[in-house]
Amino acid sequence: MTLDQLRVLVTIAETGSFSAAGRKLGRAQSAISQAVATLEDVQGVTLFDRTPHRPLLTDVGRALVDQAKVVLSGAARFQALAAGIREGIEPELAVAIDPLVPTAAFIDSLRALRAAFPHLPVSFSTEGLGGAERRLRRGEAALALCLLLPAPPEDVSAHPLLGVDLIPVVAPDHALALLDRAATTADLESHVQLVLSDPSAPDGPSYGVMGTKVWRFVELGRRLDFLLAGLGWCRLPEDLAAPLLAGGRLVRLAIQDDPAQAYGPLTIYAAHMRQRPLGRAGAWLLNDIRTRLALT
């Protein structure tokens, strides 16, 4: 069995006759008939009913046409992938992001990547805090969009993308929202703070954590559920907090002498390991993300 025989079979099914398939493929009808006869002989099946004036696909033939299309599609992807590798495109691009990374520009860049490299296999994972960097170090991701706290390590090539402001917020019916003044450290210590945590190092460095009543979360969405339910307060990225504040589902929490103000915005980096430079598609994606974020 050859790919050419499968291509002939599919072309006959699409054009409706041996002669039409021959014209489309630029071959004599006898060559088309021979390719089909050889395929039938090799596989031990009858693909066409030849008793009518025009040969018709049998039930077996119709089923095998569908499978032939799958095989031909896979072969085309194989050829495209091989051609891409010859041109310096990596065989696969794995990307990981931390939960605080805004996704709008990243999604647009992924769409553009798919258009620019349609045959490139791309894998993607959203990690808990610190998870994207771990995947990078384990070789499970070529590119990570992540925080690098307290600073980018020497063995990581880090490109600053944007700063993320974390705003203290609370549900409007929470006790802290009912204060008619800025909350003090003593006020906050008596309430639960909902904190994003690195699951591999839950007792690691904490930024902006105040008090001892801390509930730790890996998922940003689940923490938001608890926040909206009034079970605690937290610091949310400004882009996520803005529509919830505008809709009255959250209120901004004023904090007296907030130590988190000393940190300023948290920097989101696009990072890869220095000893593993990005391939052509990874470098293209990094440049596209940086360009889109520069325009916002």
Side-chain angles (χ1 to χ4, degrees):
M1 184 179 70
T2 66
L3 290 177
D4 182 67
Q5 291 165 354
L6 298 183
R7 192 171 294 110
V8 168
L9 174 62
V10 170
T11 305
I12 296 170
E14 290 176 343
T15 60
S17 71
F18 284 31
S19 57
R23 288 193 295 272
K24 182 172 182 179
L25 295 175
R27 302 184 193 179
Q29 183 172 336
S30 59
I32 298 297
S33 298
Q34 183 59 51
V36 172
T38 301
L39 182 59
E40 289 178 321
D41 183 59
V42 169
Q43 298 303 317
V45 297
T46 301
L47 299 172
F48 290 92
D49 178 3
R50 293 169 173 80
T51 55
H53 173 69
R54 174 178 293 184
L56 299 175
L57 278 168
T58 63
D59 291 342
V60 171
R62 281 189 289 272
L64 291 181
V65 164
D66 291 339
Q67 289 302 309
K69 290 178 179 178
V70 172
V71 172
L72 291 173
S73 177
R77 287 195 299 271
F78 179 91
Q79 292 171 331
L81 183 59
I85 292 172
R86 291 195 302 271
E87 297 172 1
I89 301 171
E90 49 270 68
E92 180 182 14
L93 179 61
V95 183
I97 69 171
D98 276 349
L100 290 179
V101 177
T103 57
F106 178 61
I107 288 172
D108 289 341
S109 288
L110 279 181
R111 287 198 183 103
L113 177 74
R114 186 165 56 186
F117 302 91
H119 301 289
L120 173 70
V122 177
S123 61
F124 168 73
S125 60
T126 301
E127 302 292 334
L129 203 62
E133 183 184 353
R134 283 193 298 278
R135 279 192 173 270
L136 201 64
R137 292 190 174 281
R138 293 198 298 259
E140 298 170 357
L143 180 66
L145 307 183
C146 59
L147 300 173
L148 293 171
L149 299 172
E154 289 294 325
D155 59 345
V156 172
S157 178
H159 307 270
L161 293 179
L162 75 160
V164 175
D165 286 309
L166 297 182
I167 300 173
V169 291
V170 69
D173 57 350
H174 191 280
L176 289 172
L178 304 178
L179 296 174
D180 57 359
R181 54 177 171 77
T184 64
T185 300
D187 293 323
L188 296 175
E189 285 180 345
S190 62
H191 295 281
V192 172
Q193 183 175 358
L194 311 174
V195 176
L196 277 183
S197 178
D198 183 343
S200 72
D203 298 321
S206 297
Y207 295 84
V209 176
M210 304 177 69
T212 57
K213 293 184 178 181
V214 174
W215 291 4
R216 298 185 180 276
F217 297 79
V218 174
E219 302 173 38
L220 193 64
R222 193 172 301 278
R223 184 182 68 154
L224 182 58
D225 291 339
F226 278 64
L227 175 66
L228 293 172
L231 295 177
W233 71 279
C234 75
R235 303 178 191 273
L236 275 187
E238 186 173 18
D239 68 306
L240 180 59
L244 297 170
L245 291 170
R249 301 186 67 191
L250 293 175
V251 296
R252 185 160 185 159
L253 183 61
I255 300 177
Q256 182 178 316
D257 301 323
D258 187 356
Q261 292 181 351
Y263 302 129
L266 293 176
T267 301
I268 302 294
Y269 295 91
H272 63 87
M273 302 304 296
R274 291 189 184 278
Q275 72 271 26
R276 293 197 300 271
L278 292 172
R280 181 176 158 193
W284 188 98
L285 177 62
L286 171 58
N287 182 68
D288 191 78
I289 292 172
R290 296 177 74 179
T291 299
R292 290 178 191 276
L293 289 174
L295 297 176
T296 58

